[in-house]
Amino acid sequence: MPTATDPATLTDVQRQIVDLAREFAQTRIAPHAAEWDRTAHYPRDVIDELGRLGFLGMLAPEDYDGQGLDALTYLLALEEIAAADASVAVTMAIQNAIPTTMLTRHGTPAQKKRWLRPMARGELVAGFALSEPDAGSDAASLRSQAVRDGDGWVLNGAKAWATNGGTADLMMVMVRSDTPERRRGAKGISTFIVPTSTAGYRAGKPEDKMGLRASNTTAVTLDDLRLPGDALLGEEGMGFVYALEGLDAGRLGIAIQAVGIARRALELSISYCAERRQFGMALRDFQAVQFKLADMATRVAAARALAHQVAARKDRGESTTQHAAMAKLFASETAMWVTTQAVQLFGGYGYMRDYPVEKLFRDAKVTEIYEGTSEIQRIVIARGLAAGS
Ligand SMILES: Cc1cc2nc3c(=O)[nH]c(=O)nc-3n(C[C@H](O)[C@H](O)[C@H](O)COP(=O)(O)OP(=O)(O)OC[C@H]3O[C@@H](n4cnc5c(N)ncnc54)[C@H](O)[C@@H]3O)c2cc1C
């Protein structure tokens, strides 16, 4: 498949994992993706199967029943899932990146045993709740509050647009733990491990979204939600730092989600332009169409290469903050551009729900918004430049 990663560059293990991911994506996800999109159906059974195959614990350590794989192998598998359906891919991306990174780096052995192990086995689905109705890009201005209560805590507040807010078993929730008398800005935020079965955790109705319609996105209300002391992750006041670390890993996943969407749009466009005839010729015989396809293929390959380069940095243990922002920025804008070209190449059919490219166009848009908008990625990159990195 000339549009995907060249298999010759992969190790035997990577090839096996990609083959497994592609087989699963093409048999269990792709045939149903249009229907799930139309009915906004969240396929928990398929997510559970993905978990049983190890795809929800790819980056979790082997000591806690994870696969302990490198970031590149994770990206290779995630691209296959995203090319079949971006909604399924977002659950895989979030679980592997944000809650897994937070618990692996900052969880106590007891927290890891209790939460990370079942997550890595795919028995628990986890999400994260940082955004609030009035705190999106400026997430450090969040207002949800945790107050000490004996050995434990009581949480109150409102979270916005949490992926899997109504379907996760566990949420990593960022709230303030400083006091109104002594506000500490970003240093007043802590992370709590919140089982969604806890009394006082209330998910709103699933949001009616433009794209990514088979993923569950909800507001979450924290209403006198009581937690034991061991629900605090790591150090009090470090929650925003943990969220940013998680987002570094998360943005790399979103970059490859965008590559998967764009690659699918490219593959469909190549096939369509071979079949569709106008003026007595296949569309692909027009040089203007060939140039469009060439530009699409070039941008997809460049977006993938950038993401893989960031994965290599991550695997070497280097900082990826600035580079993950670059990968997400470039890949998400590529996905939006490539899917726009795909709709154009399909003409009137491209605008119809019966054809798959309009879904890809709608799914692509969110990659420019969540885990930091394109503007926020540019701010992160520019900050890195100013700091000389
Ligand atoms: C489908 C979906 C799933 C999501 N899942 C999650 C989740 O699981 N957990 C979670 O915590 N959040 C989640 N989010 C929230 C998401 O991360 C936020 O929507 C995003 O960070 C942007 O915040 P906002 O929507 O409040 O936009 P705003 O921050 O209000 O931004 C509006 C516009 O202003 C621009 N802007 C803001 N500040 C600046 C600036 N300084 N300079 C230039 N431009 C600026 C933005 O780029 C944007 O174009 C999700 C969102 C969606 C749509």
Side-chain angles (χ1 to χ4, degrees):
M1 201 183 303
T3 54
T5 308
D6 177 3
T9 63
L10 307 183
T11 65
D12 287 346
V13 171
Q14 286 170 337
R15 206 169 302 126
Q16 279 166 16
I17 290 174
V18 170
D19 286 349
L20 181 64
R22 184 174 298 154
E23 162 80 14
F24 186 80
Q26 290 180 0
T27 56
R28 295 292 294 123
I29 302 175
H32 311 288
E35 174 70 6
W36 295 340
D37 172 70
R38 201 175 54 74
T39 56
H41 170 70
Y42 172 76
R44 177 69 193 239
D45 52 338
V46 171
I47 302 284
D48 287 344
E49 279 182 61
L50 205 55
R52 283 195 290 277
L53 290 172
F55 288 114
L56 297 183
M58 294 188 80
L59 299 179
E62 286 174 290
D63 290 353
Y64 290 95
D65 294 349
Q67 305 295 310
L69 287 163
D70 54 281
L72 178 59
T73 306
Y74 159 63
L75 292 194
L76 293 166
L78 184 55
E79 180 183 323
E80 297 302 323
I81 304 299
D85 186 36
S87 290
V88 174
V90 75
T91 292
M92 178 172 159
I94 289 180
Q95 170 121 344
N96 272 291
I98 301 178
T100 297
T101 300
M102 286 177 162
L103 279 162
T104 303
R105 289 202 186 171
H106 307 293
T108 61
Q111 286 171 332
K112 288 182 190 173
K113 205 167 145 207
R114 183 160 176 211
W115 304 117
L116 184 59
R117 180 164 285 167
M119 274 168 54
R121 288 183 185 157
E123 293 162 5
L124 290 186
V125 171
F128 80 108
L130 174 65
S131 306
E132 296 189 352
D134 294 321
S137 299
D138 182 14
S141 68
L142 65 83
R143 292 207 298 254
S144 295
Q145 183 76 50
V147 175
R148 277 190 188 278
D149 177 40
D151 289 342
W153 298 85
V154 179
L155 274 54
N156 278 285
K159 294 290 176 185
W161 308 303
T163 299
N164 280 322
T167 45
D169 305 292
L170 191 69
M171 293 297 276
M172 311 303 286
V173 180
M174 270 54 72
V175 296
R176 309 209 70 81
S177 57
D178 54 7
T179 58
E181 297 75 41
R182 190 157 175 267
R183 285 292 181 214
R184 303 184 63 222
K187 292 183 179 153
I189 295 172
S190 297
T191 299
F192 289 89
I193 306 167
V194 180
T196 56
S197 55
T198 313
Y201 179 99
R202 284 210 313 269
K205 67 174 178 45
E207 301 288 357
D208 188 10
K209 303 191 293 293
M210 171 197 290
L212 224 63
R213 292 178 54 77
S215 75
N216 174 271
T217 313
T218 70
V220 171
T221 307
L222 311 169
D223 186 9
D224 280 336
L225 186 150
R226 281 171 198 280
L227 293 172
D230 66 2
L232 175 70
L233 181 77
E235 276 180 58
E236 193 191 336
M238 288 296 286
F240 194 65
V241 174
Y242 303 160
L244 294 182
E245 285 174 1
L247 284 168
D248 282 350
R251 285 169 183 167
L252 187 53
I254 302 305
I256 218 71
Q257 180 196 31
V259 169
I261 296 169
R263 161 187 146 188
R264 187 70 193 129
L266 171 63
E267 289 167 352
L268 290 165
S269 299
I270 292 170
S271 311
Y272 185 78
C273 291
E275 287 160 17
R276 174 75 171 167
R277 296 178 73 81
Q278 290 293 285
F279 300 99
M281 292 159 80
L283 292 184
R284 72 168 175 200
D285 293 331
F286 297 112
Q287 197 175 48
V289 169
Q290 292 167 9
F291 282 8
K292 206 186 271 295
L293 291 171
D295 287 346
M296 291 160 75
T298 304
R299 292 196 198 192
V300 172
R304 179 185 295 115
L306 186 53
H308 287 188
Q309 196 188 73
V310 182
R313 283 184 75 93
K314 183 169 160 58
D315 289 333
R316 290 195 300 268
E318 295 169 20
S319 163
T320 56
T321 302
Q322 188 188 12
H323 297 83
M326 286 179 180
K328 181 189 181 274
L329 172 65
F330 187 74
S332 59
E333 294 192 349
T334 293
M336 203 60 241
W337 186 84
V338 168
T339 55
T340 303
Q341 304 315 308
V343 171
Q344 191 69 16
L345 285 169
F346 273 68
Y349 294 113
Y351 202 65
M352 302 297 148
R353 291 261 150 115
D354 292 343
Y355 283 75
V357 286
E358 67 83 37
K359 170 181 181 293
L360 295 168
F361 174 90
R362 289 184 284 107
D363 285 348
K365 184 61 204 169
V366 78
T367 65
E368 294 184 322
I369 296 173
Y370 61 12
E371 299 204 13
T373 63
S374 293
E375 292 74 22
I376 295 307
Q377 307 310 321
R378 288 188 166 88
I379 290 173
V380 172
I381 296 161
R383 252 188 226 141
L385 295 175
S389 58

